[in-house]
């Protein structure tokens, strides 16, 4: 009797594991993250019942969509062993140029096409310099961040530009109760997830991030992959810029500034490491959600925005330390 | 009483030293003595126990048994700090100095400057370094950055650093590795000068001519045991006899390879030059053949195969496979042509440690598991085949490679290239650091591959491996082929003579 009981329990545990593994959700850090999100939500809804409403939920997700899209850029790059901290200002510049074009009378389609081309090119430039110079991406993209910001200042003349009611559907439209921006974010998340997990291209990026020397000796065209992923990231950052402009209705040269570090934080909270090659996009997705929920909860509870900044910083530090402890234990 | 007096004459005496590592007896009942003002050379093959012994003397290893007498004081073991404080200094092969500061600063790095508590007098350091160099007749520019010095000057700097501590015993671990004749001569001179000034020197080298030149006495080590100590005063030494003493190994250590039919020449390296000045390298490989490449570390053997693979720029030369010019300018082309390179240090450039076993196996040839999208199920199935075929011990194909043992990791690298379907497998130290059982399995795989008509080029430092596995051997010395040995000529003496540039 006892033996069979034990067996059953074991089987139960095994089943649990395999289901978890299949979903890919409950692996290592992601499971903690989901737990933290639940805890934060419970506390927030106890303190203020308005937190746990459908309206507020969509509110949160709408607020995080720009960050979410940019986080997918960052996540794909970090998994390939790279990094781009110019994506925030890239999105900002895209917003400025877009609004300027629309105000100058160009059609929406034309303007969208032009700004996406520009952002794709900006990504390409980053990737090209990084792959050819072998300088650490942090330095290159830090420089490019200022370049993009400077261009945005020149184009905007340092003044805020208002869209004036044009092109609102992207940022403000809803399908039923679901904001359109969330759908865009989810589509991009799905795209990035599939790319990473189910394509040869994604697998090779992962290998480059894991060990660039081994990837090179395995016959992978490292430069081509690095340049292309930065280029793709530029395109996605351009989309984020459009969502940003459309949602705010008014853009400034620094509208995108700061998103890059939040995206970085979301990735790290989600378990993606600087060493590359590991971490999941699902983790990054929940990382974004946690940041969004924390902001929203603090707003609803009435935590001052200064305090919010401190909390955000603390969360990043704690998340990183926890993931490192996990890593040390595994080794 | 009388015996004690005798021991006091010796500055160092190691008695019945034993050292065991899991599965290996690195030193067994080893005795060694060192007189004042002498140069005592240690010779033996890789793995004979030389390095283990000097690591015991420098305090890096703790022996499992035996006593060490230094200046008549008895020690059971030493620590790095204790070794230094009783006057033992070691100059290792590896570079441990700081590249971007001057030689002089390196020499006195870590010294407490007594008259200056906190600030460092740069002038004084230079002065002292120059004084030290002059005493030995070394004219290295001590003000130059360490990284800009020639290999010989870097070696001098390391020796000066050791001497700055005024040691009683100086250990030089292969100080002339990859040096030319002139620089080697300089090192020999300096070693002699150091010993004549009252420091006893333990000198390790592979080149037997060099050893005979520099030594007062020579101790031959083999498989952790002392074979003999020769005294130059009482006997005339020649390299052949010393080489014979280093060799001579029980037959059981040799793997008995199943002979396979060897086909026609399929692969050819023609006129390969790594740089403008090196000699042309030409060789061919047949179908089903294992070509061994022997050579000491630093002889250029690794660079040559990397150039063949397209991972290292070459000056000129072409690679021909089945009559077609397939000269790769990058690994991408080499992999397409069916060439594989298993590097010496698989953790650094062979494996994706944070990726699971199956992803590691399929990475070279993802086309097999999908056109654009990957079929994870197919990947798992195909990888599983290889895991079974190579008997890779892993709890699941999903396991990250870094959790596997060294032998299993090596098998993953092999599986990766087998999966890609190679024609020519180039392996650099294929069994380095893996246990005996895993070794045999790697050899078994090699045999399987050659039986299927594949060719293998194998670099190895391990004599038994090179002798028992190779169908033919080329010996590399100073970036050129010094000897080509056919099956019947593959004996240790011939390979050793190739290392040392001996013809014949």
């Amino acid at each position: 009797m006892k033996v069979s009981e034990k067996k059953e329990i074991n089987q139960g545990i095994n089943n649990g594991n395999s289901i978890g593994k299949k979903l890919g959700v409950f692996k290592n850090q992601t499971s903690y993250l989901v737990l933290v999100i639940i805890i934060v939500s419970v506390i927030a809804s106890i303190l203020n019942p308005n937190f746990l409403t459908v309206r507020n939920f969509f509110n949160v997700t709408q607020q995080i969509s720009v960050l979410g899209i940019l986080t997918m850029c960052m996540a794909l790059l970090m998994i390939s062993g790279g990094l781009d901290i110019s994506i925030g200002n890239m999105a900002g510049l895209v917003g400025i140029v877009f609004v300027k074009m629309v105000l100058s009378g160009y059609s929406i389609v034309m303007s969208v096409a032009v700004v996406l081309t520009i952002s794709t090119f900006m990504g390409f430039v980053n990737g090209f310099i990084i792959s050819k110079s072998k300088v650490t991406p942090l330095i290159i993209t830090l420089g490019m961040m200022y370049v993009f910001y400077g261009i945005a200042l020149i184009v905007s003349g340092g003044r805020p530009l208002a869209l004036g009611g044009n092109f609102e559907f992207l940022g403000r439209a809803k399908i039923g109760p679901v904001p359109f921006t969330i759908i865009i974010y989810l589509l991009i998340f799905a795209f990035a997830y599939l790319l990473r997990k189910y394509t040869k291209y994604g697998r090779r990026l992962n290998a480059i991030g894991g060990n660039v020397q081994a990837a090179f000796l395995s016959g992978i065209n490292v430069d081509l992959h690095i340049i292309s992923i930065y280029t793709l990231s530029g395109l996605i950052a351009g989309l984020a810029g459009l969502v940003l402009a459309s949602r705010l209705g008014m853009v400034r040269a620094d509208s995108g500034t700061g998103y890059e570090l939040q995206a970085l934080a979301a990735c790290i909270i989600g378990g993606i490491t600087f060493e590359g090659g590991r971490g999941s996009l699902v983790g990054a997705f929940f990382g974004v959600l946690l940041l969004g929920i924390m902001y929203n909860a603090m707003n609803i509870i009435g935590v001052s925005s200064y305090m919010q900044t401190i909390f955000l910083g603390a969360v990043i530090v704690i998340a990183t330390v926890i993931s490192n402890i996990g890593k040390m234990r595994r080794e | 009483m009388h015996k004690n007096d005798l021991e006091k004459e010796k500055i160092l005496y190691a008695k019945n030293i034993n050292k065991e590592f899991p599965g290996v007896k690195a030193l067994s009942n080893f005795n060694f003595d060192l007189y004042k003002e002498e140069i005592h050379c240690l010779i033996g093959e890789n793995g004979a126990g030389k390095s283990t012994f000097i690591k015991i003397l420098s305090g890096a290893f703790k022996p499992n048994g035996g006593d060490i007498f230094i200046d008549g004081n008895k020690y059971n073991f030493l620590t790095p700090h204790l070794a230094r404080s009783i006057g033992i200094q070691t100059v290792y092969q590896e570079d441990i100095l700081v590249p971007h500061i001057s030689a002089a600063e390196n020499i006195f790095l870590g010294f407490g400057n007594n008259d200056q508590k906190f600030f460092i007098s740069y002038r004084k350091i230079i002065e002292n370094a120059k004084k030290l160099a002059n005493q030995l007749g070394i004219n290295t520019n001590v003000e130059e950055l360490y990284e800009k010095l020639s290999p010989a000057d870097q070696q001098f700097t390391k020796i000066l650093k050791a001497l700055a501590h005024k040691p009683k015993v100086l250990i030089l671990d292969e100080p002339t590795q990859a040096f030319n004749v002139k620089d080697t001569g300089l090192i020999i001179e300096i070693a002699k000068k150091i010993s004549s000034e009252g420091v006893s020197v333990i000198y390790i080298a592979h080149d037997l001519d060099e050893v005979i030149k520099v030594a007062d006495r020579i101790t031959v080590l083999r498989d952790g045991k002392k074979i003999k100590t020769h005294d130059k005063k009482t006997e005339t030494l020649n390299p052949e006899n010393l080489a014979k003493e280093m060799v001579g190994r029980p037959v059981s250590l040799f793997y008995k390879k199943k002979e396979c039919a060897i086909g026609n020449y399929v692969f050819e390296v023609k006129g390969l030059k790594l740089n403008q000045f090196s000699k042309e390298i030409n060789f061919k490989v047949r179908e089903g053949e294992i070509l061994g490449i022997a050579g000491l570390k630093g002889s250029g053997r690794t660079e040559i195969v990397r150039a063949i693979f397209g991972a290292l720029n070459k000056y000129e030369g072409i690679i021909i496979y089945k009559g077609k010019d397939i000269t790769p300018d990058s690994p991408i082309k080499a992999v397409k042509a069916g060439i594989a390179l298993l590097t010496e240090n698989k953790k650094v450039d062979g494996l994706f440690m944070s990726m699971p076993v199956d992803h590691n196996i399929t990475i070279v040839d993802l086309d097999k598991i999908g056109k654009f999208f990957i079929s994870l199920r197919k990947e798992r199935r195909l990888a599983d085949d290889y895991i079974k075929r190579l008997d890779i011990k892993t709890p699941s194909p999903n396991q990250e490679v870094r959790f596997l043992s060294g032998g299993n990791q090596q098998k993953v690298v092999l599986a990766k290239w087998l999966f890609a379907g190679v024609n020519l497998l180039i392996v650099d130290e294929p069994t380095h650091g893996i246990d005996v059982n895993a070794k045999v399995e790697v050899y078994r795989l090699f045999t399987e591959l050659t039986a299927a008509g594949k060719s293998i080029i194998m670099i190895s430092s391990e004599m038994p491996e090179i002798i028992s596995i190779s169908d033919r051997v080329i010996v590399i010395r100073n970036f050129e082929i010094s000897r080509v040995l056919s099956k019947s000529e593959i004996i240790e003496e011939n390979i050793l003579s190739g290392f040392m540039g001996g013809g014949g």
Side-chain angles (χ1 to χ4, degrees), chain B residues 414-452:
Chain B
L414 270 165
K416 165 174 125 174
W417 290 110
L418 294 184
F419 179 82
V422 291
N423 300 317
L424 173 72
L425 189 67
I426 305 174
V427 292
D428 195 348
E429 299 281 12
T431 61
H432 191 216
I434 67 179
D435 65 59
V436 179
N437 289 329
K439 266 185 194 180
V440 172
E441 280 183 63
V442 168
Y443 298 152
R444 180 179 59 84
L445 266 169
F446 285 179
T447 317
E448 246 175 60
L449 277 173
T450 49

Side-chain angles (χ1 to χ4, degrees), chain B residues 167-362:
Chain B
K168 289 179 191 143
V169 176
L170 178 69
I171 303 173
L172 299 174
D173 188 5
E174 299 194 35
T176 57
Q177 199 177 48
F179 275 19
N180 60 31
V181 181
K182 188 176 144 257
D183 290 340
T184 303
L186 272 175
I187 294 274
I188 292 175
E189 252 175 60
I190 284 162
K192 284 191 165 167
K193 194 148 192 180
I194 292 168
S195 76
S196 72
E197 281 172 8
V199 179
S200 308
V201 178
I202 300 176
Y203 193 105
I204 294 176
H206 275 294
D207 192 322
L208 296 180
D209 288 322
E210 172 189 341
V211 166
I212 291 172
K213 251 184 234 159
V214 75
D216 294 311
R217 288 192 299 156
I218 299 170
T219 291
V220 184
L221 262 163
R222 186 173 75 211
D223 300 326
K225 293 189 188 82
K226 175 165 142 179
I227 302 303
K228 205 177 170 191
T229 298
H230 299 275
D231 193 332
K232 222 162 76 177
K233 266 185 271 168
T234 56
E235 51 187 313
T236 36
L237 299 167
N238 68 58
E240 284 73 33
N241 289 343
L242 289 177
K244 261 182 205 144
E245 286 180 7
M246 285 162 61
V247 195
R249 193 184 302 270
V251 189
S252 64
L253 282 171
F254 289 84
Y255 176 77
K256 284 204 184 57
K257 198 186 98 171
K258 213 171 69 198
E259 296 304 323
C260 319
I262 292 173
N264 297 322
Y265 286 107
V266 282
F267 182 85
E268 184 178 2
V269 174
K270 214 171 171 181
L272 176 71
K273 286 170 94 173
L274 292 183
N275 62 53
Q276 205 176 341
F277 307 107
S278 59
K279 266 196 190 160
E280 274 188 12
I281 291 166
N282 295 293
F283 64 86
K284 293 182 186 177
V285 190
R286 289 171 289 185
E287 236 169 20
E289 181 180 41
I290 299 182
L291 175 73
I293 295 188
L296 296 172
K297 267 205 179 107
S299 61
R301 49 181 206 186
T302 298
E303 288 79 0
I304 289 167
V305 297
R306 282 182 93 96
I308 293 170
F309 190 63
L312 190 78
N313 287 334
K314 56 186 171 301
Y315 180 67
E316 59 182 24
I318 53 172
I319 316 293
I320 295 163
Y321 180 69
K322 287 196 172 163
K324 257 189 4 210
D325 181 348
I326 55 152
T327 314
D329 51 9
S330 78
I332 302 166
K333 252 183 149 180
V335 170
K336 277 211 184 100
I339 306 176
L341 174 66
L342 269 78
T343 55
E344 180 178 359
N345 199 339
K346 54 194 180 287
K347 282 185 185 167
V348 173
D349 52 16
L351 286 168
F352 305 94
M353 302 300 275
S354 61
M355 282 165 65
V357 174
D358 53 351
H359 292 194
N360 267 280
I361 292 175
T362 56

Side-chain angles (χ1 to χ4, degrees), chain A residues 21 194 197-200 203-204 206-207 210-211 213-221 276-278 330-331, chain B residues 309 311 331-332 343 348-349 351-352 354 359 363 366-367 370-374 376 379 400 402-403 416-417:
Chain A
K21 269 178 191 161
L194 287 176
K197 190 158 184 188
Y198 290 103
T199 69
K200 293 198 280 185
R203 181 62 65 74
R204 291 187 180 124
N206 203 132
N211 184 342
Q213 270 305 313
F216 173 66
L217 291 177
S218 298
I220 294 173
N221 191 335
R278 65 170 62 241
R330 264 177 288 149
E331 275 157 14
Chain B
F309 190 63
I332 302 166
T343 55
V348 173
D349 52 16
L351 286 168
F352 305 94
S354 61
H359 292 194
I363 189 71
L366 291 170
D367 293 351
K371 276 208 166 69
F372 181 79
F373 286 105
I374 292 171
L376 294 184
E379 172 173 46
E400 284 179 27
R402 64 203 167 100
F403 296 115
K416 165 174 125 174
W417 290 110

Side-chain angles (χ1 to χ4, degrees), chain B residues 93-136:
Chain B
Q93 296 165 31
E94 301 89 35
D95 235 334
I96 44 148
L97 298 192
V98 185
H100 49 268
I101 64 175
S102 70
E105 285 169 284
N106 266 303
I107 290 169
F108 291 104
L109 200 66
F111 266 77
N113 233 353
N114 286 335
D115 40 311
Q116 279 145 326
K117 284 277 182 276
F118 184 72
F119 291 104
I120 296 166
S121 160
Y122 185 70
R123 191 177 46 81
K124 205 163 196 176
I125 284 176
I126 298 280
E127 223 170 73
N128 287 338
K130 275 186 183 157
K131 214 187 285 167
L132 203 60
N134 284 339
Q135 277 170 12
L136 286 175

